Amino acid sequence: MMLAKNYQTVRLILGDQLNAQHSWFDRPDDSVLYLIAELKQEASYVKHHIQKLCAFFSAMEIFAKELSEKGHHVLHLTLDDTAQFKKLEDLIASTVKRFSAKVFQYQRPDEYRLLQQLNALKLADTINVFCVDSEHFLVPFEDMSGYVKPKQHNRMETFYRKMRKRFSLLMNGDQPLGGKWNYDGDNREKIKPKDLQDIPQPLLFSNDVDDKLERINKHNVITFGRCDDNLLWPVSRDQSLQLLKHFCEYCLPLFGRFQDAMTCQHPDQWTLYHSRLSFAMNSKILSPQEVIAAAVDAYKQSDGLITLPQIEGFVRQILGWREYVRCVYWVNMPHYSQSNHLDAQRNLPEYFWDGNTKMNCMKQAIDQSLTYAYAHHIQRLMITGNFCLLTGIHPDQVDAWYLGIYIDAIEWVEMPNTRGMSQFADGGWIATKPYSAGGNYVNKMSDYCKSCHYKVKEKSSENACPLNSLYWNFMNQHRDRLANNPRIGMVYRSWDRQSQESQQATLARANWCLENLEEL
């Protein structure tokens, strides 16, 4: 569509605001111009995985094309077009001036830094500026403080139950379907050798991103990770709906049962039964309402193939956890981003960027992340996250790595999961205790340990699994902070029963590991 010389209104659409169901798009308006732009500011505020940039750039381009085909006036700009603009506000001011607009509108950003940037936007006095809702989340922005209180622990389970009642999901009147709110205890099975043959083949796409790769390289945007010319992630609404349908049909029947499991013995070990819908949702291509509705409908139509624990586990991730961490983020920003309750100060080891480590669990999780820009929640929390917790990596560096490497990482969802749930840097506003573990947990939930250089059953020998000694060192180091926690007391009783010689050997091994982090 040819653009006019002048528009009454310019509306900004950010890369994670690709919501075709937004009321903005109910009908075309020839007086409105939509601005969708690749911008170096957004491509480089953190070092991103190359697939993440390609996915967002592709999704933005397709969204702009689809809006235009529906009769909307759209200005889609690439890095080539925006190279002169160092900041988002410079681009906005230039666009408003170019088209002689009298009104500028934007949807409320979901990252604090962008909200601050747009709130501070200075345009000519004659320009009216309006902020509207993104119309994506289940909890309205103004309602969040009614669910989550700042600077204190808010139990996710309480939040989740309120949401189940509010939206009448998996309910029988005012009681949970099946008589239980939570089936998490039923959803912790390990994938055994006999289960490998049943792992479903993932639905992968083939999106040509050669032009995006060329553009990113041309403008010297620093990235990491691997990317072929064809991107396997869904970058359109049609592809996203295909992936949702595939998940409901092939993965949901065993999703809950194996949602915490890990394996390195299958070609599709990186996908297993996970939906991989997080990019489509966090870019707002899909709404949480439609994803939940599709999954619940599949459950109801499955004739018992999909059991209640499977659907409850999936609904809890979206209705519960996803909405909950967003609330935690917003009611606690900006100070949440500076929290470092455990005073962690070490640097992130180099193998987080290349996967060159002898620890097989870490190698599997990091290699997968570098290859696919994806790892499931247990790999993020209990493998790489647990390692950073035990070794005291500074939460700023942990945040930056998680925010950059994962295709679905937007700060509102990344930071509470990383700094809060994973690193306990908030002191317990999300988790009631640190999610720390030794090698036994990894061995219980995966087959990683069988082919590892280190011995998972040993604590203090030269070949002992580093996680074992690091776990006890972490618990010992933070005893004053943690000993009174009723969920942890038994851990210290177990430590106190060990001989002094055993304790010293374990701590000595931990000290060696910490002094030689790069060599593990």
Side-chain angles (χ1 to χ4, degrees):
M1 178 183 291
M2 290 289 293
L3 297 182
K5 290 185 178 180
N6 300 315
Y7 288 93
Q8 174 72 18
T9 301
V10 169
R11 287 175 172 172
L12 174 68
I13 301 173
L14 296 172
D16 65 339
Q17 295 177 340
L18 310 182
N19 177 11
Q21 300 169 87
H22 195 281
S23 58
W24 268 0
F25 313 123
D26 286 349
R27 62 186 65 84
D29 185 338
D30 290 339
S31 71
V32 174
L33 175 68
Y34 291 98
L35 172 62
I36 303 177
E38 300 171 3
L39 195 64
K40 194 166 184 180
Q41 170 195 299
E42 291 306 288
S44 57
Y45 70 90
V46 70
K47 185 163 73 170
H48 294 287
H49 195 296
I50 183 63
Q51 288 186 44
K52 183 181 181 184
L53 289 184
C54 285
F56 273 103
F57 286 179
S58 297
M60 291 160 67
E61 179 182 63
I62 291 171
F63 190 73
K65 182 173 180 288
E66 291 177 346
L67 282 184
S68 184
E69 288 172 348
K70 292 176 181 176
H72 299 283
H73 295 248
V74 183
L75 177 62
H76 174 244
L77 303 176
T78 69
L79 288 176
D80 292 338
D81 305 312
T82 64
Q84 62 183 301
F85 302 110
K86 288 188 176 180
K87 296 180 180 179
L88 175 61
E89 48 262 53
D90 298 334
L91 170 63
I92 294 168
S94 174
T95 305
V96 167
K97 181 178 180 181
R98 173 184 168 187
F99 292 99
S100 303
K102 302 300 181 186
V103 177
F104 173 70
Q105 297 178 341
Y106 62 95
Q107 296 176 31
R108 182 187 297 105
D110 289 311
E111 289 196 335
Y112 181 84
R113 64 179 181 87
L114 280 172
L115 183 62
Q116 293 298 102
Q117 202 172 355
L118 287 170
N119 281 347
L121 181 66
K122 299 293 185 185
L123 297 176
D125 292 341
T126 55
I127 309 299
N128 292 311
V129 178
F130 298 97
C131 174
V132 303
D133 192 78
S134 67
E135 301 177 10
H136 172 79
F137 293 97
L138 294 165
V139 177
F141 192 86
E142 58 273 12
D143 290 357
M144 288 192 292
S145 59
Y147 283 89
V148 170
K149 303 301 181 187
K151 299 184 180 182
Q152 67 180 59
H153 175 69
N154 294 265
R155 192 165 175 252
M156 200 287 284
E157 182 69 19
T158 302
F159 175 93
Y160 172 54
R161 294 182 185 187
K162 288 180 181 178
M163 294 290 283
R164 288 269 294 272
K165 292 177 180 177
R166 175 171 177 169
F167 292 96
S168 298
L169 279 165
L170 302 181
M171 298 294 293
N172 183 9
D174 62 352
Q175 294 301 308
L177 199 64
K180 288 173 61 176
W181 289 100
N182 187 317
Y183 290 86
D184 194 40
D186 298 344
N187 292 339
R188 295 172 182 165
E189 286 196 34
K190 181 176 183 175
I191 291 177
K192 301 179 177 66
K194 66 180 178 61
D195 302 316
L196 293 172
Q197 63 183 6
D198 298 324
I199 292 173
Q201 183 177 353
L203 175 61
L204 308 178
F205 301 95
S206 183
N207 296 297
D208 184 0
V209 292
D210 187 60
D211 58 331
K212 280 79 179 172
L213 292 169
E214 184 178 329
R215 206 153 59 236
I216 290 165
N217 183 60
K218 174 184 175 182
H219 291 278
N220 300 310
V221 177
I222 305 301
T223 63
F224 67 111
R226 303 156 195 147
C227 187
D228 297 328
D229 289 346
N230 293 303
L231 186 73
L232 58 83
W233 291 96
V235 293
S236 68
R237 180 157 173 82
D238 179 63
Q239 290 180 350
S240 299
L241 289 170
Q242 288 181 51
L243 188 57
L244 173 58
K245 182 179 179 182
H246 178 272
F247 167 71
C248 291
E249 185 173 351
Y250 297 105
C251 302
L252 185 54
L254 289 175
F255 167 78
R257 180 178 171 189
F258 293 124
Q259 67 176 334
D260 290 359
M262 299 167 283
T263 180
C264 59
Q265 301 297 322
H266 193 277
D268 300 317
Q269 62 200 37
W270 72 282
T271 57
L272 301 179
Y273 293 90
H274 296 278
S275 72
R276 294 180 298 113
L277 293 167
S278 49
F279 172 76
M281 292 184 66
N282 292 354
S283 60
K284 300 184 180 62
I285 295 173
L286 295 181
S287 73
Q289 295 97 322
E290 67 186 327
V291 171
I292 292 171
V296 170
D297 186 60
Y299 160 70
K300 291 178 178 177
Q301 302 297 323
S302 71
D303 292 325
L305 180 65
I306 302 171
T307 62
L308 186 55
Q310 316 311 311
I311 185 61
E312 187 279 318
F314 184 66
V315 168
R316 180 163 17 99
Q317 284 194 352
I318 300 173
L319 181 71
W321 191 252
R322 186 173 186 265
E323 294 286 327
Y324 168 77
V325 296
R326 172 177 173 257
C327 292
V328 171
Y329 174 80
W330 279 111
V331 303
N332 288 299
M333 286 297 283
H335 49 267
Y336 200 84
S337 63
Q338 284 97 49
S339 57
N340 189 2
H341 179 71
L342 299 179
D343 194 29
Q345 299 294 334
R346 287 189 180 84
N347 293 322
L348 198 70
E350 190 64 28
Y351 40 80
F352 273 76
W353 306 101
D354 58 28
N356 293 327
T357 171
K358 296 188 289 291
M359 295 175 287
N360 192 41
C361 60
M362 289 285 287
K363 182 174 181 58
Q364 293 294 329
I366 294 171
D367 276 349
Q368 175 183 311
S369 301
L370 292 170
T371 302
Y372 298 107
Y374 175 79
H376 71 66
H377 64 286
I378 292 298
Q379 291 172 306
R380 300 188 200 194
L381 175 66
M382 298 306 300
I383 303 297
T384 49
N386 178 55
F387 180 83
C388 290
L389 174 69
L390 298 184
T391 54
I393 307 301
H394 197 292
D396 286 355
Q397 295 189 28
V398 184
D399 261 340
W401 187 80
Y402 276 82
L403 185 59
I405 198 167
Y406 292 119
I407 197 162
D408 52 28
I410 312 292
E411 191 181 77
W412 67 266
V413 67
E414 174 277 321
M415 185 176 287
N417 272 295
T418 302
R419 195 172 285 257
M421 184 70 170
S422 169
Q423 300 304 295
F424 203 68
D426 61 5
W429 294 353
I430 287 185
T432 55
K433 69 177 184 66
Y435 271 76
S436 55
N440 183 58
Y441 175 86
V442 178
N443 196 36
K444 177 183 176 184
M445 295 308 303
S446 78
D447 50 28
Y448 294 160
C449 302
K450 291 180 180 178
S451 51
C452 187
H453 169 82
Y454 297 105
K455 307 297 182 185
V456 70
K457 299 295 185 183
E458 298 180 14
K459 283 191 301 183
S460 55
S461 70
E462 251 184 54
N463 292 321
C465 170
L467 297 179
N468 292 333
S469 59
L470 290 170
Y471 169 78
W472 286 114
N473 179 76
F474 172 84
M475 299 304 295
N476 189 56
Q477 177 186 353
H478 298 292
R479 185 164 189 163
D480 288 346
R481 287 187 175 101
L482 303 175
N484 291 329
N485 188 315
R487 297 187 64 192
I488 295 178
M490 62 180 295
V491 172
Y492 289 110
R493 289 193 292 273
S494 175
W495 173 251
D496 292 341
R497 285 195 296 268
Q498 298 178 35
S499 68
Q500 188 174 3
E501 181 182 13
S502 174
Q503 290 178 349
Q504 289 175 348
T506 299
L507 296 178
R509 169 64 175 164
N511 287 333
W512 185 91
C513 290
L514 292 171
E515 290 171 2
N516 297 273
L517 272 187
E518 296 287 354
E519 311 305 318
L520 295 179

